[in-house]
Amino acid sequence: MTDKLILVSHPLCPYVQRAAISLTEKGVLFERVDIDLADKPVWFKAISPLGKVPLLRVQRNGDETTIFESAVILEFLEETQASPLHPADPYARARHRAWIEYGSAILNAIGRLYSAPTEAGFLAESGALAAMFDRLEAELADGRGGPWFAGDSFSLVDAVYGPVFRYLDAFDRIGDFGTLDGKPRVQAWRQALNDRPSIRGAVARDYPRRLHAFLQAKGSFLSSLIHRGDLATALRQALPA
């Protein structure tokens, strides 16, 4: 009997997107159920030890197993589904896992950036984030040629970084922060990922609007930049032609 897979999700969660991308790349049918993390359903609290998404509910032969934490979900899919996204060589696989962890560290840095309450804090976090991408640029320069992290083969590393670059797309709509200046390999990789159907399909069509609203509501320095930009746009629209 084929397992039924249910991905418990939130529309903005980048870690959910990783699992959705992996499932799509593997050609696995799955159901996606969004929840409101500000008002968590009782059934979700009962099966989520950490109270976070993603969760993967695996229904098989009348039994259900719930798997939590995105890294564990990705490894479970590698072990149970066809079309592996990890390299077969154990040394290459370990390297890929390490760069997946680096992607999680970048997401944490992005969270610190959009939450920074002051301009000074924002500029410090912006510089730190740019430096993390400098290190990634150096890694991509190591002779693999693209378009993907490992060259010609799309991997789990690519699935992890697709959601990372969505944040940069949102930041670009607010201002030019220079995060990827002087990083042509990262920029080319970002474009290739943005064009990948599995990555585009990992979020709903209203994702940019939802993310913009989330950033606007943070009460951070970045939020103030959004408000200034919205005001400037409104003033331009009010001027006579």
Side-chain angles (χ1 to χ4, degrees):
M1 181 181 294
T2 303
D3 295 352
K4 180 179 180 181
L5 303 182
I6 303 170
L7 182 63
V8 183
S9 167
H10 181 274
L12 292 180
C13 179
Y15 296 95
V16 168
Q17 293 173 44
R18 298 176 175 187
I21 293 165
S22 174
L23 286 161
T24 301
E25 289 287 340
K26 291 174 175 294
V28 177
L29 294 176
F30 67 101
E31 179 183 348
R32 187 165 176 172
V33 177
D34 285 339
I35 66 163
D36 182 356
L37 290 174
D39 185 17
K40 299 172 184 174
V42 173
W43 63 263
F44 174 78
K45 295 177 183 179
I47 65 174
S48 178
L50 298 176
K52 300 190 300 184
V53 293
L55 294 180
L56 187 67
R57 302 175 69 176
V58 183
Q59 298 176 351
R60 183 182 195 189
N61 297 331
D63 295 323
E64 178 171 300
T65 300
T66 300
I67 302 169
F68 59 99
E69 285 297 299
S70 66
V72 179
I73 291 171
L74 292 179
E75 294 296 335
F76 170 77
L77 295 174
E78 285 295 289
E79 293 172 355
T80 61
Q81 304 296 328
S83 304
L85 297 175
H86 264 326
D89 177 74
Y91 295 92
R93 193 160 62 246
R95 173 177 164 270
H96 279 221
R97 285 174 171 147
W99 283 101
I100 286 172
E101 288 302 309
Y102 193 78
S104 296
I106 289 180
L107 283 175
N108 289 335
I110 287 172
R112 292 192 298 271
L113 175 69
Y114 66 61
S115 300
T118 65
E119 181 177 11
F122 178 85
L123 292 175
E125 296 296 349
S126 181
L129 182 61
M132 295 187 79
F133 281 109
D134 282 332
R135 184 64 187 83
L136 191 56
E137 176 76 10
E139 184 66 19
L140 292 174
D142 192 19
R144 281 171 290 278
W148 313 117
F149 179 80
D152 292 335
S153 299
F154 187 92
S155 70
L156 277 181
V157 181
D158 299 292
V160 164
Y161 281 85
V164 168
F165 289 121
R166 287 197 208 282
Y167 284 100
L168 299 193
D169 295 341
F171 296 159
D172 285 349
R173 288 188 284 270
I174 300 166
D176 182 6
F177 305 130
T179 308
L180 298 186
D181 285 356
K183 305 173 186 64
R185 293 177 180 85
V186 174
Q187 290 180 6
W189 188 32
R190 174 190 183 183
Q191 186 59 57
L193 290 173
N194 284 350
D195 292 340
R196 187 83 173 186
S198 64
I199 292 174
R200 292 202 309 270
V203 294
R205 295 183 66 178
D206 66 348
Y207 173 89
R209 179 189 61 77
R210 284 176 175 265
L211 181 56
H212 185 85
F214 168 80
L215 296 173
Q216 189 176 38
K218 287 294 291 182
S220 64
F221 178 75
L222 184 65
S223 304
S224 73
L225 296 181
I226 295 173
H227 287 294
R228 291 178 209 169
D230 289 348
L231 177 60
T233 298
L235 288 172
R236 284 196 303 271
Q237 291 174 348
L239 291 173

